Amino acid sequence: MALLSLIVTSSCSDPSSVGLELDPGNNQVGVFFVNFELPAEVVLLDSFNTTNQDILVVGNEEDSYFGKTTSTGYTRMHFSTSATKPESTAILDSVMFDLSFVSINGQNLDEAKTYSIHQLTEQIQDTVYYNFDKIPFEETPFASTEITFGEVKDTINTFHVEEEFGLDLFDKLKRSSVFDNIFTFREYFPGIAVQAKEGDNSTAGIETGADTKLSFFYHYEGDTVATSFEITTSSSRNFNGIESDRTGTPTEVVQELNKSYETGSLVGMKAGLGMAIRLDTSPLDAFLDTLSGVVFKQANLLVGEIEEVPEGQNSTPAFVAYFVDANNKILRRASDGGRLTVQRDGQPQTELVDDVEEPTYLGYATGTLDSETGIYTMGVTSHINALFRNELTRKDWMLYGGYVSTVSSDEFKRSLRQLKVGTDKIEIQAIYSKIQ
């Protein structure tokens, strides 16, 4: 690879022949290879909305680059007003809380991890919540347990509820107006916060819905089979709150939202926290300005080889490249506000909207990880051809660790997955032909 590499600023007698010729014997077409780095910085994104992702991100992680990251999942709870409630003579058998784990990412998963469920002391409002938001909750949990995951990543785990808490709520269920409607219920029981234990160095994804629930099991005198009443997290507003202590790490310098920072020889991306990678694409201009009469056969953005990930952890699965301005704001299409990204190879890069040519945005390109090589690859052939033909104006890119989606769920807000990569390992690699 080193023999094929070429710094674009190298001198050359024919500027349109910058690169290493791969097929000099062909009289019609010269085929050239070139690669060059894109300068990279990190950005802590502003207005990182984590409302209603329907996955409670519950984790406590420590990392030499990102520091200490703690994520708490907050959610309301819900019950059916048409469900049969226990009568005053009902006898409580047990109270259980089920959490539906759909993922686990962390170290030493063959060792027990501790999770605790706490009652909120204030209600979750009908508003937007961001990753820096939090709601106060009772210090003492009403349920907690240890879980050893091993190879099992998705499972429903049952927590025994503290007796005093369970008896009190069951008494309200039988005798008071608390359960008359969802509003009086939430005044009494605003919701829950789920936390992981400090030092566990793992993060779980817990799915809200019918399987994450509080269950009362009870019977009447003479019954042989227990009846149950459930309070679930279905149709319940939820969000994830993140706390980050980056003291003493390369990312300690990252203080202001939406500002670009250099962090030494590494840059990184971390979901949940909302830390993304900004790429300066101006070397593309410097390269394309040297060319004439060429067509790009293949061009890729390569990120990696990334830093090694400990066993039990998984890197960010993919990323998209948003167009951003100098203030790291995502650029939107003038006609309809669509967020602009690098588009997939083979897809149109522009289209006519009311007789005005605008960038397309629905066929977004993704950078995907090859787990064997540790390198993310995103095809940018069509994009660079469009830049070369002046169909698009070059913009800097924000590498964002999720997929563009028209629905509320966003993978970059549903975990604490991360990647770290050397600043010298982010490059454009291109093959192009010169028509003689």
Side-chain angles (χ1 to χ4, degrees):
M1 182 67 71
L3 293 176
L4 294 178
S5 299
L6 180 83
I7 302 301
V8 173
T9 54
S10 298
S11 61
C12 184
S13 58
D14 180 0
S16 67
S17 297
V18 171
L20 180 67
E21 189 168 7
L22 300 182
D23 188 13
N26 189 317
N27 293 326
Q28 298 300 316
V29 180
V31 180
F32 299 86
F33 174 98
V34 67
N35 68 335
F36 51 89
E37 295 175 11
L38 297 183
E41 297 177 307
V42 299
V43 177
L44 194 59
L45 299 177
D46 192 9
S47 302
F48 200 63
N49 175 6
T50 62
T51 311
N52 288 349
Q53 293 301 309
D54 298 330
I55 294 290
L56 303 181
V57 178
V58 181
N60 209 305
E61 298 185 357
E62 295 185 30
D63 180 84
S64 60
Y65 180 81
F66 294 104
K68 296 181 179 180
T69 308
T70 303
S71 181
T72 302
Y74 299 86
T75 182
R76 289 171 172 170
M77 299 199 72
H78 174 85
F79 66 92
S80 172
T81 55
S82 62
T84 301
K85 292 184 287 188
E87 299 174 4
S88 59
T89 56
I91 302 168
L92 181 63
D93 295 317
S94 62
V95 186
M96 302 292 185
F97 205 111
D98 290 342
L99 292 181
S100 178
F101 289 82
V102 293
S103 64
I104 180 69
N105 192 60
Q107 300 177 35
N108 302 318
L109 296 180
D110 56 345
E111 299 177 2
K113 308 298 182 183
T114 302
Y115 298 91
S116 57
I117 307 172
H118 305 252
Q119 180 176 328
L120 300 182
T121 57
E122 294 180 9
Q123 290 197 48
I124 297 176
Q125 304 297 321
D126 292 328
T127 188
V128 173
Y129 286 92
Y130 299 96
N131 62 337
F132 51 75
D133 284 323
K134 62 177 69 175
I135 292 178
F137 51 83
E138 298 284 354
E139 182 178 354
T140 303
F142 66 81
S144 62
T145 196
E146 292 185 341
I147 304 171
T148 302
F149 290 95
E151 296 299 320
V152 179
K153 302 297 190 284
D154 54 340
T155 179
I156 295 175
N157 276 272
T158 300
F159 294 56
H160 285 278
V161 170
E162 293 295 324
E163 183 178 9
E164 184 178 349
F165 173 89
L167 286 171
D168 179 71
L169 195 54
F170 186 66
D171 188 63
K172 296 293 189 297
L173 178 58
K174 293 194 299 181
R175 307 176 192 278
S176 77
S177 60
V178 165
F179 284 84
D180 283 356
N181 58 68
I182 197 66
F183 303 105
T184 55
F185 168 70
R186 286 177 180 158
E187 287 180 6
Y188 178 78
F189 188 80
I192 62 169
V194 186
Q195 287 200 308
K197 180 183 175 182
E198 183 177 1
D200 275 356
N201 215 21
S202 62
T203 298
I206 299 169
E207 186 176 40
T208 60
D211 291 331
T212 293
K213 64 183 184 294
L214 179 64
S215 300
F216 297 88
F217 298 93
Y218 61 93
H219 72 278
Y220 295 99
E221 193 72 38
D223 284 351
T224 57
V225 178
T227 305
S228 66
F229 183 90
E230 296 179 347
I231 306 172
T232 76
T233 51
S234 297
S235 306
S236 297
R237 196 169 193 80
N238 57 81
F239 74 97
N240 297 307
I242 311 295
E243 296 180 64
S244 173
D245 181 2
R246 299 184 293 278
T247 304
T249 71
T251 55
E252 182 179 12
V253 298
V254 182
Q255 297 291 328
E256 297 181 37
L257 299 176
N258 268 32
K259 182 178 178 181
S260 302
Y261 291 90
E262 295 181 356
T263 57
S265 61
L266 293 176
V267 288
M269 179 187 301
K270 191 168 183 67
L273 179 60
M275 187 170 285
I277 297 173
R278 178 196 173 94
L279 297 186
D280 174 3
T281 62
S282 59
L284 275 169
D285 277 348
F287 170 55
L288 295 177
D289 286 348
T290 67
L291 302 178
S292 63
V294 306
V295 61
F296 286 89
K297 299 296 186 181
Q298 182 177 343
N300 292 310
L301 169 68
L302 302 180
V303 176
E305 179 181 357
I306 61 172
E307 296 291 293
E308 185 176 359
V309 178
E311 184 179 355
Q313 290 189 308
N314 296 289
S315 296
T316 303
F319 60 74
V320 297
Y322 281 110
F323 296 168
V324 290
D325 64 15
N327 297 314
N328 293 312
K329 295 290 187 181
I330 294 174
L331 298 174
R332 294 177 177 269
R333 199 160 77 163
S335 60
D336 54 17
R339 294 181 294 180
L340 298 177
T341 66
V342 174
Q343 295 294 285
R344 203 163 48 236
D345 277 347
Q347 297 293 312
Q349 304 294 297
T350 61
E351 62 181 335
L352 287 177
V353 181
D354 295 329
D355 296 325
V356 176
E357 189 171 43
E358 292 193 307
T360 57
Y361 64 89
L362 294 178
Y364 57 89
T366 57
T368 56
L369 177 65
D370 183 327
S371 60
E372 296 296 324
T373 64
I375 297 174
Y376 292 85
T377 302
M378 185 175 76
V380 294
T381 313
S382 297
H383 178 80
I384 291 181
N385 273 318
L387 289 176
F388 184 66
R389 295 191 297 264
N390 293 318
E391 295 172 2
L392 290 175
T393 302
R394 181 196 59 80
K395 302 295 181 184
D396 288 340
W397 299 342
M398 180 77 72
L399 303 188
Y400 182 91
Y403 296 104
V404 179
S405 178
T406 56
V407 297
S408 60
S409 61
D410 180 341
E411 291 304 316
F412 205 45
K413 301 172 181 177
R414 291 155 61 95
S415 76
L416 292 183
R417 288 191 180 190
Q418 64 188 48
L419 71 87
K420 295 176 288 186
V421 65
T423 53
D424 60 344
K425 295 180 180 179
I426 301 176
E427 63 181 8
I428 296 292
Q429 193 175 87
I431 299 173
Y432 62 94
S433 298
K434 181 175 176 356
I435 308 301
Q436 298 180 347

